[in-house]
Amino acid sequence: MCMACGQMFSSIHWSDRLKTDEKGFVDQRVLLRTRQMKVSVTNKILGYYGLSVRNRPGGGYTVMNRTGRALLCKDFGDLWFQVQKLCGKTVDPLDPDLLSYLEAKTDQEDV
Amino acid sequence: MDGGYISVVIITGFLGSGKTTLLRHWLEQPSFQKTIVIVNEFGKVGLDQRVLRRVEENTILLGGGCACCQVRADLVNELGRIIDLRDQGETEVDQVVIETSGLADPAPILFSIMTDSMLRHHYKVKHVVSCLDSVNGKLHLENGMEAVKQIAVADRVILTKTDLAQEEEKQELYTRIYEINPMAVVLEAVYGEIPPEKVFGNEIYGKQDLIRLHSKVKSESVHTTGVRTISIGFEKPLNWAAFGIWLSALLYAHGEAVYRVKGILDTGEEGPVLLNGVQHIIHPPQHLDSWNEEEHQSSLVFIMRDIDPKLILKSLKAFQSFIGSKAEIREICLELYNES
């Protein structure tokens, strides 16, 4: 347990590893920026499945579907599993339909 | 001992590939004096009983998990017991060698150690060594996916019994090994006699491994097993957050088919990020302080089964606006899969 925030955690997902200073601390601004970035990118992907994700204060994320059903997840190892539970599909970055959706979305934003 | 951690070395290889002979030689070396060996089966070659601990192979399949997300309960218990013994002052240990049975898959061993809430604070998997018999190796690689996988997840491949093999056979094996795993360091041993320093000289992440990759063999043989190796380059720095999302989703959906991921990534920081993974299991990435005057260049290698490399490239293209850089497949491996 983290003695500063009282949060229970047991591991750091590999994708959450950031550069640390010589004392082993992560720059909090970088941490916040990275989390924000992750949420915004993931939302673009989850749009295809009719879901959305948001940062949970104190750590972790909340995934929601359009009817408001929400599941909590601690990191990106867990997130894809919870998404699968919510929408019944596995997020597959090799799925041609998802890729066309993302490309179309990027084109729209470019215009 | 490495920063308070006990190093773990996993030795895989088929029955009769010389694992125990190799180990017996190593156990006589000064650097192996505080080593405990865990085996699942006793081979013909006897080892010193004092260092040996035998456990019944016992695998727990986790609900919803794939083949690599299994917990090797036998190892978890045994490794826990070793910590207890050390803390009680009954044994001295700075290294544990796990000698797997011939057909065992090394991925669940990595998974068990890296995800167990206790073990992960005490143990660090340093190396996966795979022994391959020079005489029968070709046959094993042709007939069994297990042998191919053992080569794919290894950092070091040791060709044993090289005195019994013809030079041509050996060269063919080298080519085959590099096709499956261009990142592997391949060494030869006769009667298991190879100094451990020679095998474990470099760190698991050795940057030079990846650089050497680009000058490796170009082969004309066909992959019969469906295992492919691709090397992907990126022209601009990557966004680490977006890349993490892409790779974690890819491994969630296809982790069983991805045997290996290894990469050196330019994320726009002062130094590169080193990535190393086996199936779903990614070692904690290292964010280095500097590039040491090397060219800032990202390079990512996948060893995978039954996934079309063009699909990976297509996916990276669709994710390009998030990841921040265009991806390209480097030529060395293009030749490999053009042939297959």
Side-chain angles (χ1 to χ4, degrees):
Chain A
M1 191 172 81
C2 167
M3 301 310 278
C5 63
Q7 200 196 314
M8 297 293 282
F9 58 81
S10 58
S11 68
I12 302 173
H13 189 248
W14 64 266
S15 66
D16 288 330
R17 295 257 169 182
L18 295 174
K19 188 157 177 54
T20 51
D21 60 20
E22 61 278 11
K23 288 185 190 139
F25 291 112
V26 171
D27 183 339
Q28 289 298 306
R29 282 169 305 179
V30 177
L31 181 74
L32 284 177
R33 206 164 50 224
T34 311
R35 283 178 61 89
Q36 209 51 52
M37 175 82 191
K38 277 186 167 170
V39 165
S40 116
V41 171
T42 312
N43 270 327
K44 286 183 187 157
I45 302 167
L46 291 186
Y48 176 72
Y49 302 92
L51 304 176
S52 64
V53 62
R54 69 177 183 221
N55 258 318
R56 197 153 59 91
Y61 306 90
T62 312
V63 202
M64 269 170 301
N65 67 10
R66 285 181 184 144
T67 58
R69 187 169 169 227
L71 292 173
L72 306 181
C73 41
K74 61 180 172 57
D75 57 38
F76 272 78
D78 195 22
L79 185 113
W80 306 121
F81 178 63
Q82 302 294 353
V83 165
Q84 193 178 8
K85 271 213 282 196
L86 263 185
C87 72
K89 281 188 216 150
T90 309
V91 176
D92 179 1
L94 302 183
D95 174 5
D97 293 338
L98 170 65
L99 298 184
S100 333
Y101 168 85
L102 287 176
E103 273 168 357
K105 212 163 171 171
T106 312
D107 290 344
Q108 264 174 20
E109 280 169 13
D110 287 345
V111 173
Chain B
M1 194 79 82
D2 166 33
Y5 287 95
I6 298 175
S7 320
V8 177
V9 174
I10 301 172
I11 301 188
T12 68
F14 265 50
L15 201 66
S17 62
K19 300 186 290 283
T20 315
T21 311
L22 183 77
L23 203 51
R24 193 169 61 170
H25 174 71
W26 283 351
L27 287 172
E28 292 164 1
Q29 311 293 316
S31 57
F32 274 66
Q33 289 316 302
K34 292 182 190 165
T35 297
I36 288 179
V37 180
I38 302 178
V39 295
N40 284 131
E41 59 193 8
F42 286 120
K44 272 192 211 155
V45 186
L47 280 179
D48 187 344
Q49 293 298 318
R50 281 169 299 176
V51 298
L52 208 59
R53 304 178 76 89
R54 182 175 177 273
V55 290
E56 266 322 310
E57 199 168 322
N58 174 15
T59 306
I60 300 172
L61 184 61
L62 298 183
C66 78
C68 75
C69 301
Q70 294 169 349
V71 171
R72 284 282 301 271
D74 54 330
L75 291 176
V76 170
N77 290 340
E78 196 56 32
L79 289 169
R81 221 166 308 157
I82 290 172
I83 293 292
D84 287 345
L85 287 176
R86 183 196 65 176
D87 293 348
Q88 288 159 10
E90 285 180 28
T91 183
E92 274 192 291
V93 54
D94 63 0
Q95 177 166 258
V96 171
V97 175
I98 300 172
E99 186 192 327
T100 70
S101 59
L103 291 174
D105 180 353
I109 302 178
L110 289 168
F111 180 78
S112 305
I113 297 174
M114 289 172 63
T115 55
D116 186 88
S117 51
M118 201 273 276
L119 297 185
R120 101 172 147 247
H121 299 294
H122 292 283
Y123 293 96
K124 228 177 214 169
V125 180
K126 292 286 268 194
H127 294 282
V128 180
V129 179
S130 196
C131 291
L132 192 66
D133 174 343
S134 311
V135 183
N136 299 316
K138 191 164 169 262
L139 208 65
H140 290 159
L141 290 177
E142 273 167 14
N143 294 336
M145 279 316 286
E146 292 90 358
V148 174
K149 194 166 174 190
Q150 283 172 355
I151 298 294
V153 303
D155 302 294
R156 307 284 184 265
V157 176
I158 299 188
L159 277 181
T160 56
K161 307 181 188 175
T162 42
D163 55 329
L164 300 177
Q166 307 285 338
E167 193 52 35
E168 285 163 26
E169 281 179 315
K170 240 166 52 183
Q171 285 316 318
E172 233 174 276
L173 263 186
Y174 266 99
T175 312
R176 190 75 187 93
I177 293 168
Y178 285 138
E179 271 174 26
I180 300 168
N181 185 352
M183 299 164 288
V185 175
V186 186
L187 301 156
E188 292 180 20
V190 179
Y191 298 117
E193 283 174 14
I194 182 167
E197 302 79 51
K198 204 170 158 191
V199 181
F200 304 121
N202 288 329
E203 266 294 296
I204 195 163
Y205 282 112
K207 245 196 276 178
Q208 50 279 60
D209 293 3
L210 276 164
I211 292 156
R212 202 186 42 236
L213 180 73
H214 297 293
S215 53
K216 277 270 170 71
V217 283
K218 294 179 179 176
S219 156
E220 291 183 357
S221 72
V222 179
H223 281 254
T224 46
T225 46
V227 174
R228 289 168 166 181
T229 306
I230 57 165
S231 166
I232 299 170
F234 298 88
E235 54 189 18
K236 286 191 216 144
L238 308 176
N239 179 320
W240 172 241
F243 178 78
I245 292 172
W246 178 78
L247 186 62
S248 66
L250 179 76
L251 294 179
Y252 183 77
H254 298 283
E256 264 177 287
V258 178
Y259 284 176
R260 219 34 215 281
V261 189
K262 199 162 178 176
I264 174 165
L265 304 174
D266 176 10
T267 56
E269 293 172 15
E270 307 90 81
V273 178
L274 302 181
L275 195 74
N276 186 6
V278 172
Q279 300 199 303
H280 292 171
I281 313 144
I282 303 276
H283 290 265
Q286 292 183 344
H287 293 252
L288 298 191
D289 291 329
S290 87
W291 282 86
N292 287 336
E293 293 169 16
E294 277 169 41
E295 200 185 337
H296 294 208
Q297 203 181 40
S298 298
S299 148
L300 187 66
V301 177
F302 283 100
I303 304 178
M304 54 199 190
R305 194 191 68 222
D306 303 333
I307 297 182
D308 184 355
K310 289 192 200 88
L311 260 179
I312 299 259
L313 211 58
K314 194 163 178 269
S315 172
L316 280 168
K317 189 163 172 276
F319 278 77
Q320 187 181 326
S321 63
F322 313 136
I323 292 178
S325 172
K326 196 170 165 240
E328 49 164 18
I329 290 189
R330 298 253 164 85
E331 60 187 288
I332 157 186
C333 297
L334 259 178
E335 290 199 10
L336 272 181
Y337 68 74
N338 276 344
E339 301 289 338
S340 54

PDB file of all heavy atoms in Angstrom, chain B residues 300-327:
ATOM      1  N   LEU B 300      12.318  -2.388 -33.631  1.00  0.00           N
ATOM      2  CA  LEU B 300      11.452  -3.278 -32.874  1.00  0.00           C
ATOM      3  C   LEU B 300      11.407  -4.614 -33.604  1.00  0.00           C
ATOM      4  O   LEU B 300      11.179  -4.658 -34.803  1.00  0.00           O
ATOM      5  CB  LEU B 300      10.055  -2.655 -32.836  1.00  0.00           C
ATOM      6  CG  LEU B 300       9.006  -3.291 -31.970  1.00  0.00           C
ATOM      7  CD1 LEU B 300       9.386  -3.165 -30.508  1.00  0.00           C
ATOM      8  CD2 LEU B 300       7.670  -2.599 -32.193  1.00  0.00           C
ATOM      9  N   VAL B 301      11.663  -5.689 -32.873  1.00  0.00           N
ATOM     10  CA  VAL B 301      11.678  -7.001 -33.511  1.00  0.00           C
ATOM     11  C   VAL B 301      10.560  -7.860 -32.936  1.00  0.00           C
ATOM     12  O   VAL B 301      10.380  -7.920 -31.726  1.00  0.00           O
ATOM     13  CB  VAL B 301      13.040  -7.694 -33.283  1.00  0.00           C
ATOM     14  CG1 VAL B 301      13.039  -9.082 -33.887  1.00  0.00           C
ATOM     15  CG2 VAL B 301      14.157  -6.866 -33.881  1.00  0.00           C
ATOM     16  N   PHE B 302       9.810  -8.487 -33.808  1.00  0.00           N
ATOM     17  CA  PHE B 302       8.776  -9.434 -33.380  1.00  0.00           C
ATOM     18  C   PHE B 302       9.142 -10.821 -33.899  1.00  0.00           C
ATOM     19  O   PHE B 302       9.480 -10.971 -35.067  1.00  0.00           O
ATOM     20  CB  PHE B 302       7.420  -9.097 -34.014  1.00  0.00           C
ATOM     21  CG  PHE B 302       6.710  -7.950 -33.382  1.00  0.00           C
ATOM     22  CD1 PHE B 302       6.747  -6.694 -33.960  1.00  0.00           C
ATOM     23  CD2 PHE B 302       5.988  -8.134 -32.225  1.00  0.00           C
ATOM     24  CE1 PHE B 302       6.076  -5.624 -33.387  1.00  0.00           C
ATOM     25  CE2 PHE B 302       5.308  -7.072 -31.646  1.00  0.00           C
ATOM     26  CZ  PHE B 302       5.357  -5.822 -32.222  1.00  0.00           C
ATOM     27  N   ILE B 303       9.046 -11.830 -33.034  1.00  0.00           N
ATOM     28  CA  ILE B 303       9.083 -13.212 -33.522  1.00  0.00           C
ATOM     29  C   ILE B 303       7.672 -13.723 -33.299  1.00  0.00           C
ATOM     30  O   ILE B 303       7.187 -13.719 -32.169  1.00  0.00           O
ATOM     31  CB  ILE B 303      10.066 -14.085 -32.724  1.00  0.00           C
ATOM     32  CG1 ILE B 303      11.459 -13.472 -32.756  1.00  0.00           C
ATOM     33  CG2 ILE B 303      10.096 -15.505 -33.287  1.00  0.00           C
ATOM     34  CD1 ILE B 303      12.480 -14.248 -31.947  1.00  0.00           C
ATOM     35  N   MET B 304       7.016 -14.099 -34.378  1.00  0.00           N
ATOM     36  CA  MET B 304       5.616 -14.459 -34.186  1.00  0.00           C
ATOM     37  C   MET B 304       5.201 -15.600 -35.095  1.00  0.00           C
ATOM     38  O   MET B 304       5.871 -15.911 -36.071  1.00  0.00           O
ATOM     39  CB  MET B 304       4.743 -13.243 -34.439  1.00  0.00           C
ATOM     40  CG  MET B 304       5.015 -12.629 -35.767  1.00  0.00           C
ATOM     41  SD  MET B 304       4.410 -10.967 -35.813  1.00  0.00           S
ATOM     42  CE  MET B 304       4.594 -10.662 -37.557  1.00  0.00           C
ATOM     43  N   ARG B 305       4.084 -16.204 -34.746  1.00  0.00           N
ATOM     44  CA  ARG B 305       3.595 -17.344 -35.504  1.00  0.00           C
ATOM     45  C   ARG B 305       2.259 -16.976 -36.144  1.00  0.00           C
ATOM     46  O   ARG B 305       1.392 -16.403 -35.480  1.00  0.00           O
ATOM     47  CB  ARG B 305       3.389 -18.516 -34.535  1.00  0.00           C
ATOM     48  CG  ARG B 305       3.206 -19.866 -35.204  1.00  0.00           C
ATOM     49  CD  ARG B 305       2.740 -20.880 -34.199  1.00  0.00           C
ATOM     50  NE  ARG B 305       1.394 -20.572 -33.762  1.00  0.00           N
ATOM     51  CZ  ARG B 305       0.978 -20.658 -32.496  1.00  0.00           C
ATOM     52  NH1 ARG B 305       1.794 -21.007 -31.558  1.00  0.00           N
ATOM     53  NH2 ARG B 305      -0.262 -20.359 -32.181  1.00  0.00           N
ATOM     54  N   ASP B 306       2.138 -17.265 -37.423  1.00  0.00           N
ATOM     55  CA  ASP B 306       0.858 -17.103 -38.128  1.00  0.00           C
ATOM     56  C   ASP B 306       0.262 -15.697 -38.108  1.00  0.00           C
ATOM     57  O   ASP B 306      -0.946 -15.531 -38.127  1.00  0.00           O
ATOM     58  CB  ASP B 306      -0.205 -18.082 -37.571  1.00  0.00           C
ATOM     59  CG  ASP B 306       0.269 -19.530 -37.654  1.00  0.00           C
ATOM     60  OD1 ASP B 306       1.084 -19.807 -38.539  1.00  0.00           O
ATOM     61  OD2 ASP B 306      -0.163 -20.349 -36.831  1.00  0.00           O
ATOM     62  N   ILE B 307       1.102 -14.683 -37.986  1.00  0.00           N
ATOM     63  CA  ILE B 307       0.566 -13.323 -38.149  1.00  0.00           C
ATOM     64  C   ILE B 307       1.267 -12.740 -39.372  1.00  0.00           C
ATOM     65  O   ILE B 307       2.484 -12.818 -39.485  1.00  0.00           O
ATOM     66  CB  ILE B 307       0.854 -12.425 -36.928  1.00  0.00           C
ATOM     67  CG1 ILE B 307       0.158 -12.966 -35.686  1.00  0.00           C
ATOM     68  CG2 ILE B 307       0.416 -10.993 -37.185  1.00  0.00           C
ATOM     69  CD1 ILE B 307       0.352 -12.104 -34.451  1.00  0.00           C
ATOM     70  N   ASP B 308       0.496 -12.181 -40.277  1.00  0.00           N
ATOM     71  CA  ASP B 308       1.079 -11.609 -41.476  1.00  0.00           C
ATOM     72  C   ASP B 308       1.768 -10.282 -41.112  1.00  0.00           C
ATOM     73  O   ASP B 308       1.138  -9.377 -40.585  1.00  0.00           O
ATOM     74  CB  ASP B 308      -0.057 -11.372 -42.483  1.00  0.00           C
ATOM     75  CG  ASP B 308       0.477 -10.870 -43.803  1.00  0.00           C
ATOM     76  OD1 ASP B 308       1.688 -10.626 -43.891  1.00  0.00           O
ATOM     77  OD2 ASP B 308      -0.335 -10.724 -44.744  1.00  0.00           O
ATOM     78  N   PRO B 309       3.070 -10.176 -41.410  1.00  0.00           N
ATOM     79  CA  PRO B 309       3.792  -8.940 -41.066  1.00  0.00           C
ATOM     80  C   PRO B 309       3.146  -7.705 -41.689  1.00  0.00           C
ATOM     81  O   PRO B 309       3.208  -6.615 -41.120  1.00  0.00           O
ATOM     82  CB  PRO B 309       5.180  -9.165 -41.662  1.00  0.00           C
ATOM     83  CG  PRO B 309       5.320 -10.636 -41.789  1.00  0.00           C
ATOM     84  CD  PRO B 309       3.947 -11.171 -42.019  1.00  0.00           C
ATOM     85  N   LYS B 310       2.508  -7.891 -42.837  1.00  0.00           N
ATOM     86  CA  LYS B 310       1.875  -6.728 -43.492  1.00  0.00           C
ATOM     87  C   LYS B 310       0.751  -6.171 -42.623  1.00  0.00           C
ATOM     88  O   LYS B 310       0.483  -4.982 -42.619  1.00  0.00           O
ATOM     89  CB  LYS B 310       1.313  -7.141 -44.847  1.00  0.00           C
ATOM     90  CG  LYS B 310       2.417  -7.413 -45.858  1.00  0.00           C
ATOM     91  CD  LYS B 310       1.822  -7.516 -47.258  1.00  0.00           C
ATOM     92  CE  LYS B 310       2.770  -8.250 -48.177  1.00  0.00           C
ATOM     93  NZ  LYS B 310       2.558  -9.721 -48.146  1.00  0.00           N
ATOM     94  N   LEU B 311       0.087  -7.068 -41.860  1.00  0.00           N
ATOM     95  CA  LEU B 311      -0.992  -6.613 -40.985  1.00  0.00           C
ATOM     96  C   LEU B 311      -0.463  -5.737 -39.864  1.00  0.00           C
ATOM     97  O   LEU B 311      -1.095  -4.750 -39.479  1.00  0.00           O
ATOM     98  CB  LEU B 311      -1.690  -7.827 -40.368  1.00  0.00           C
ATOM     99  CG  LEU B 311      -2.996  -8.270 -40.992  1.00  0.00           C
ATOM    100  CD1 LEU B 311      -3.527  -9.485 -40.268  1.00  0.00           C
ATOM    101  CD2 LEU B 311      -4.013  -7.140 -40.923  1.00  0.00           C
ATOM    102  N   ILE B 312       0.710  -6.128 -39.333  1.00  0.00           N
ATOM    103  CA  ILE B 312       1.324  -5.330 -38.265  1.00  0.00           C
ATOM    104  C   ILE B 312       1.641  -3.936 -38.792  1.00  0.00           C
ATOM    105  O   ILE B 312       1.366  -2.912 -38.150  1.00  0.00           O
ATOM    106  CB  ILE B 312       2.634  -6.003 -37.782  1.00  0.00           C
ATOM    107  CG1 ILE B 312       2.346  -7.383 -37.213  1.00  0.00           C
ATOM    108  CG2 ILE B 312       3.398  -5.109 -36.818  1.00  0.00           C
ATOM    109  CD1 ILE B 312       2.303  -7.473 -35.723  1.00  0.00           C
ATOM    110  N   LEU B 313       2.169  -3.909 -40.010  1.00  0.00           N
ATOM    111  CA  LEU B 313       2.546  -2.630 -40.607  1.00  0.00           C
ATOM    112  C   LEU B 313       1.298  -1.773 -40.873  1.00  0.00           C
ATOM    113  O   LEU B 313       1.293  -0.570 -40.639  1.00  0.00           O
ATOM    114  CB  LEU B 313       3.283  -2.911 -41.918  1.00  0.00           C
ATOM    115  CG  LEU B 313       4.344  -1.890 -42.293  1.00  0.00           C
ATOM    116  CD1 LEU B 313       5.382  -1.770 -41.195  1.00  0.00           C
ATOM    117  CD2 LEU B 313       5.023  -2.280 -43.597  1.00  0.00           C
ATOM    118  N   LYS B 314       0.245  -2.441 -41.316  1.00  0.00           N
ATOM    119  CA  LYS B 314      -1.014  -1.745 -41.603  1.00  0.00           C
ATOM    120  C   LYS B 314      -1.566  -1.149 -40.299  1.00  0.00           C
ATOM    121  O   LYS B 314      -2.043  -0.019 -40.271  1.00  0.00           O
ATOM    122  CB  LYS B 314      -1.998  -2.756 -42.195  1.00  0.00           C
ATOM    123  CG  LYS B 314      -3.187  -2.133 -42.839  1.00  0.00           C
ATOM    124  CD  LYS B 314      -3.887  -3.122 -43.753  1.00  0.00           C
ATOM    125  CE  LYS B 314      -5.113  -2.504 -44.361  1.00  0.00           C
ATOM    126  NZ  LYS B 314      -6.338  -2.686 -43.623  1.00  0.00           N
ATOM    127  N   SER B 315      -1.473  -1.938 -39.243  1.00  0.00           N
ATOM    128  CA  SER B 315      -1.972  -1.483 -37.954  1.00  0.00           C
ATOM    129  C   SER B 315      -1.169  -0.278 -37.460  1.00  0.00           C
ATOM    130  O   SER B 315      -1.727   0.716 -37.002  1.00  0.00           O
ATOM    131  CB  SER B 315      -1.892  -2.633 -36.956  1.00  0.00           C
ATOM    132  OG  SER B 315      -2.191  -2.189 -35.679  1.00  0.00           O
ATOM    133  N   LEU B 316       0.154  -0.379 -37.600  1.00  0.00           N
ATOM    134  CA  LEU B 316       0.991   0.744 -37.158  1.00  0.00           C
ATOM    135  C   LEU B 316       0.682   1.995 -37.985  1.00  0.00           C
ATOM    136  O   LEU B 316       0.771   3.113 -37.488  1.00  0.00           O
ATOM    137  CB  LEU B 316       2.470   0.374 -37.286  1.00  0.00           C
ATOM    138  CG  LEU B 316       3.015  -0.484 -36.146  1.00  0.00           C
ATOM    139  CD1 LEU B 316       4.373  -1.051 -36.493  1.00  0.00           C
ATOM    140  CD2 LEU B 316       3.119   0.331 -34.854  1.00  0.00           C
ATOM    141  N   LYS B 317       0.318   1.792 -39.241  1.00  0.00           N
ATOM    142  CA  LYS B 317       0.003   2.927 -40.104  1.00  0.00           C
ATOM    143  C   LYS B 317      -1.277   3.613 -39.599  1.00  0.00           C
ATOM    144  O   LYS B 317      -1.348   4.833 -39.509  1.00  0.00           O
ATOM    145  CB  LYS B 317      -0.181   2.431 -41.536  1.00  0.00           C
ATOM    146  CG  LYS B 317      -0.301   3.528 -42.533  1.00  0.00           C
ATOM    147  CD  LYS B 317      -0.063   2.994 -43.942  1.00  0.00           C
ATOM    148  CE  LYS B 317      -0.388   4.057 -44.962  1.00  0.00           C
ATOM    149  NZ  LYS B 317      -1.822   4.095 -45.285  1.00  0.00           N
ATOM    150  N   ALA B 318      -2.284   2.785 -39.255  1.00  0.00           N
ATOM    151  CA  ALA B 318      -3.533   3.357 -38.757  1.00  0.00           C
ATOM    152  C   ALA B 318      -3.324   4.068 -37.419  1.00  0.00           C
ATOM    153  O   ALA B 318      -4.011   5.040 -37.103  1.00  0.00           O
ATOM    154  CB  ALA B 318      -4.579   2.264 -38.610  1.00  0.00           C
ATOM    155  N   PHE B 319      -2.381   3.581 -36.632  1.00  0.00           N
ATOM    156  CA  PHE B 319      -2.101   4.181 -35.326  1.00  0.00           C
ATOM    157  C   PHE B 319      -1.055   5.300 -35.420  1.00  0.00           C
ATOM    158  O   PHE B 319      -0.689   5.895 -34.416  1.00  0.00           O
ATOM    159  CB  PHE B 319      -1.603   3.119 -34.335  1.00  0.00           C
ATOM    160  CG  PHE B 319      -2.709   2.315 -33.702  1.00  0.00           C
ATOM    161  CD1 PHE B 319      -3.350   1.308 -34.398  1.00  0.00           C
ATOM    162  CD2 PHE B 319      -3.116   2.575 -32.392  1.00  0.00           C
ATOM    163  CE1 PHE B 319      -4.370   0.567 -33.822  1.00  0.00           C
ATOM    164  CE2 PHE B 319      -4.138   1.838 -31.799  1.00  0.00           C
ATOM    165  CZ  PHE B 319      -4.770   0.831 -32.521  1.00  0.00           C
ATOM    166  N   GLN B 320      -0.559   5.520 -36.653  1.00  0.00           N
ATOM    167  CA  GLN B 320       0.556   6.444 -36.832  1.00  0.00           C
ATOM    168  C   GLN B 320       0.311   7.830 -36.236  1.00  0.00           C
ATOM    169  O   GLN B 320       1.189   8.405 -35.610  1.00  0.00           O
ATOM    170  CB  GLN B 320       0.818   6.576 -38.331  1.00  0.00           C
ATOM    171  CG  GLN B 320       2.047   7.366 -38.681  1.00  0.00           C
ATOM    172  CD  GLN B 320       2.165   7.445 -40.201  1.00  0.00           C
ATOM    173  OE1 GLN B 320       1.795   6.515 -40.911  1.00  0.00           O
ATOM    174  NE2 GLN B 320       2.667   8.564 -40.688  1.00  0.00           N
ATOM    175  N   SER B 321      -0.919   8.330 -36.398  1.00  0.00           N
ATOM    176  CA  SER B 321      -1.151   9.691 -35.912  1.00  0.00           C
ATOM    177  C   SER B 321      -1.035   9.762 -34.394  1.00  0.00           C
ATOM    178  O   SER B 321      -0.746  10.806 -33.830  1.00  0.00           O
ATOM    179  CB  SER B 321      -2.512  10.190 -36.367  1.00  0.00           C
ATOM    180  OG  SER B 321      -3.497   9.379 -35.805  1.00  0.00           O
ATOM    181  N   PHE B 322      -1.270   8.629 -33.696  1.00  0.00           N
ATOM    182  CA  PHE B 322      -1.100   8.622 -32.227  1.00  0.00           C
ATOM    183  C   PHE B 322       0.358   8.377 -31.858  1.00  0.00           C
ATOM    184  O   PHE B 322       0.930   9.032 -31.015  1.00  0.00           O
ATOM    185  CB  PHE B 322      -1.916   7.500 -31.567  1.00  0.00           C
ATOM    186  CG  PHE B 322      -3.335   7.397 -32.027  1.00  0.00           C
ATOM    187  CD1 PHE B 322      -3.886   6.168 -32.312  1.00  0.00           C
ATOM    188  CD2 PHE B 322      -4.110   8.544 -32.149  1.00  0.00           C
ATOM    189  CE1 PHE B 322      -5.202   6.069 -32.713  1.00  0.00           C
ATOM    190  CE2 PHE B 322      -5.432   8.443 -32.556  1.00  0.00           C
ATOM    191  CZ  PHE B 322      -5.965   7.204 -32.845  1.00  0.00           C
ATOM    192  N   ILE B 323       0.926   7.373 -32.531  1.00  0.00           N
ATOM    193  CA  ILE B 323       2.268   6.950 -32.158  1.00  0.00           C
ATOM    194  C   ILE B 323       3.310   7.993 -32.566  1.00  0.00           C
ATOM    195  O   ILE B 323       4.340   8.133 -31.928  1.00  0.00           O
ATOM    196  CB  ILE B 323       2.585   5.551 -32.760  1.00  0.00           C
ATOM    197  CG1 ILE B 323       1.698   4.508 -32.078  1.00  0.00           C
ATOM    198  CG2 ILE B 323       4.033   5.179 -32.591  1.00  0.00           C
ATOM    199  CD1 ILE B 323       1.866   3.101 -32.590  1.00  0.00           C
ATOM    200  N   GLY B 324       3.018   8.733 -33.622  1.00  0.00           N
ATOM    201  CA  GLY B 324       3.880   9.856 -33.946  1.00  0.00           C
ATOM    202  C   GLY B 324       4.932   9.569 -34.996  1.00  0.00           C
ATOM    203  O   GLY B 324       5.708  10.444 -35.335  1.00  0.00           O
ATOM    204  N   SER B 325       4.998   8.347 -35.499  1.00  0.00           N
ATOM    205  CA  SER B 325       5.994   8.096 -36.525  1.00  0.00           C
ATOM    206  C   SER B 325       5.549   7.005 -37.478  1.00  0.00           C
ATOM    207  O   SER B 325       4.852   6.073 -37.109  1.00  0.00           O
ATOM    208  CB  SER B 325       7.312   7.691 -35.891  1.00  0.00           C
ATOM    209  OG  SER B 325       8.208   7.275 -36.888  1.00  0.00           O
ATOM    210  N   LYS B 326       5.977   7.147 -38.710  1.00  0.00           N
ATOM    211  CA  LYS B 326       5.703   6.133 -39.711  1.00  0.00           C
ATOM    212  C   LYS B 326       6.582   4.920 -39.429  1.00  0.00           C
ATOM    213  O   LYS B 326       7.731   5.072 -39.008  1.00  0.00           O
ATOM    214  CB  LYS B 326       6.044   6.721 -41.072  1.00  0.00           C
ATOM    215  CG  LYS B 326       5.482   5.952 -42.210  1.00  0.00           C
ATOM    216  CD  LYS B 326       5.668   6.757 -43.504  1.00  0.00           C
ATOM    217  CE  LYS B 326       5.426   5.810 -44.647  1.00  0.00           C
ATOM    218  NZ  LYS B 326       6.516   5.639 -45.545  1.00  0.00           N
ATOM    219  N   ALA B 327       6.046   3.735 -39.669  1.00  0.00           N
ATOM    220  CA  ALA B 327       6.833   2.523 -39.448  1.00  0.00           C
ATOM    221  C   ALA B 327       7.213   1.915 -40.786  1.00  0.00           C
ATOM    222  O   ALA B 327       6.505   2.057 -41.772  1.00  0.00           O
ATOM    223  CB  ALA B 327       6.000   1.520 -38.656  1.00  0.00           C
TER     224      ALA B 327
END
